[in-house]
């Protein structure tokens, strides 16, 4: 699973020869934050600013995105939150610089980052949808995941046990195929990313110290 990542940078966007992004987005994304999603329209590749976490039209509250930011590929058609999007084959990608997972060292969770060795951004498979709530257009997306119990890198993340998940990375050479895919059956894309092209390391979260008036009294 993935609940935290860094979207691609401007330099990485140019490396991949992607269209410019016309809106701002955060350096680091968490569930229900806004993020850039790339999809294929009749005009070609386009960007949309979407919520990280699927917000289906039947939900009364956008906070559902806090629970729908990942979608198991095995059950896409069985989950009400994702059924409309997958049945209409609304496939996109979230280009990222790095994503973060928990690795347990001596029973304590550490934040580890996964990135490409060559420094390029990579595409995470996503499902997106659009709906209206109170006259407001809501765009949202979820990252599609796969079983990772046998993946050389991803099997070491998450809590100890038999459940290990990973995002699905769409290779550059299959990007156009994925974005124009017209079937809910996506098994041909469900492959673990090539571990020889990626690396991971401990990336602690930066703590922001809050200064109090007492601490600054003599400044």
């Amino acid at each position: 699973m993935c609940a935290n990542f860094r979207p691609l940078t401007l330099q990485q966007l140019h490396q991949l020869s992607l269209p410019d992004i016309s809106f701002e987005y955060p350096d680091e994304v968490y569930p229900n934050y806004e993020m850039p999603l790339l999809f294929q329209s009749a005009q070609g590749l386009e960007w949309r600013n979407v919520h990280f976490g699927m917000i289906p039209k039947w939900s009364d509250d956008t906070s559902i995105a806090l629970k729908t930011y990942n979608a198991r590929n095995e059950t896409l058609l069985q989950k009400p939150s994702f059924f409309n999007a997958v049945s209409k084959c609304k496939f996109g990608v979230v280009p990222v610089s790095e994503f973060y997972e928990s690795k347990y060292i001596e029973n304590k969770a550490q934040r580890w980052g996964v990135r490409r060795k060559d420094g390029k951004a990579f595409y995470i498979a996503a499902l997106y949808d659009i709906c209206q709530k109170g006259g407001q257009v809501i765009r949202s997306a979820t990252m599609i995941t796969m079983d990772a119990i046998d993946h050389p890198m991803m099997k070491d993340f998450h809590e100890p046990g038999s459940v290990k998940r990973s995002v699905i990375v769409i290779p550059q050479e299959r990007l156009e195929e994925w974005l124009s895919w017209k079937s809910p059956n996506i098994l041909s894309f469900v492959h673990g990313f090539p571990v020889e092209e990626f690396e991971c390391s401990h990336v602690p979260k930066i703590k922001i110290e809050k200064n109090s008036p007492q601490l600054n009294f003599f400044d």
Side-chain angles (χ1 to χ4, degrees), residues 18-201:
L18 295 173
D20 289 338
I21 301 176
S22 61
F23 52 85
E24 295 184 354
Y25 54 90
D27 292 334
E28 195 166 331
V29 173
Y30 294 88
N32 214 12
Y33 279 37
E34 292 185 334
M35 65 177 183
L37 173 104
L38 185 68
F39 75 106
Q40 182 83 34
S41 73
Q43 288 72 43
L45 293 178
E46 290 192 27
W47 294 100
R48 287 292 184 273
N49 194 21
V50 304
H51 289 265
F52 180 31
M54 190 70 83
I55 303 173
K57 62 181 180 181
W58 49 261
S59 175
D60 296 328
D61 191 348
T62 58
S63 67
I64 192 174
L66 298 173
K67 301 177 181 178
T68 57
Y69 52 88
N70 286 169
R72 291 173 176 250
N73 80 88
E74 301 94 333
T75 58
L76 288 175
L77 286 170
Q78 301 170 26
K79 300 296 183 180
S81 296
F82 311 126
F83 180 82
N84 184 66
V86 72
S87 62
K88 294 181 179 179
C89 301
K90 293 186 175 182
F91 300 120
V93 292
V94 180
V96 308
S97 299
E98 181 175 57
F99 68 90
Y100 303 104
E101 299 286 2
S102 294
K103 188 171 186 177
Y104 283 76
I105 308 295
E106 297 181 351
N107 294 320
K108 293 183 179 180
Q110 292 185 355
R111 181 179 184 247
W112 280 55
V114 179
R115 68 197 77 82
R116 285 190 58 89
K117 291 179 179 178
D118 59 12
K120 292 183 179 179
F122 51 99
Y123 305 111
I124 293 180
L127 192 64
Y128 69 92
D129 210 348
I130 182 172
C131 65
Q132 285 195 344
K133 295 184 184 297
Q136 181 182 5
V137 175
I138 303 292
R139 294 182 173 88
S140 61
T142 183
M143 290 180 173
I144 305 174
T145 68
M146 60 174 286
D147 179 35
I149 194 67
D150 295 321
H151 190 272
M153 183 181 294
M154 297 303 294
K155 66 180 177 62
D156 293 331
F157 296 121
H158 309 138
E159 294 182 9
S162 59
V163 178
K164 306 290 182 178
R165 305 295 298 180
S166 172
V167 293
I168 297 173
V169 175
I170 302 297
Q172 177 71 48
E173 62 270 18
R174 298 195 70 187
L175 178 62
E176 183 177 350
E177 181 185 6
W178 167 254
L179 295 179
S180 58
W181 193 250
K182 298 303 180 185
S183 169
N185 184 344
I186 62 170
L187 283 178
S188 66
F189 296 94
V190 181
H191 299 288
F193 59 79
V195 69
E196 66 275 7
E197 297 178 12
F198 286 75
E199 63 184 9
C200 62
S201 64

Side-chain angles (χ1 to χ4, degrees), residues 8-21 47 121:
L8 82 171
T9 64
L10 181 61
Q11 180 182 0
Q12 290 173 324
L13 181 142
H14 291 155
Q15 285 177 332
L16 296 174
S17 300
L18 295 173
D20 289 338
I21 301 176
W47 294 100

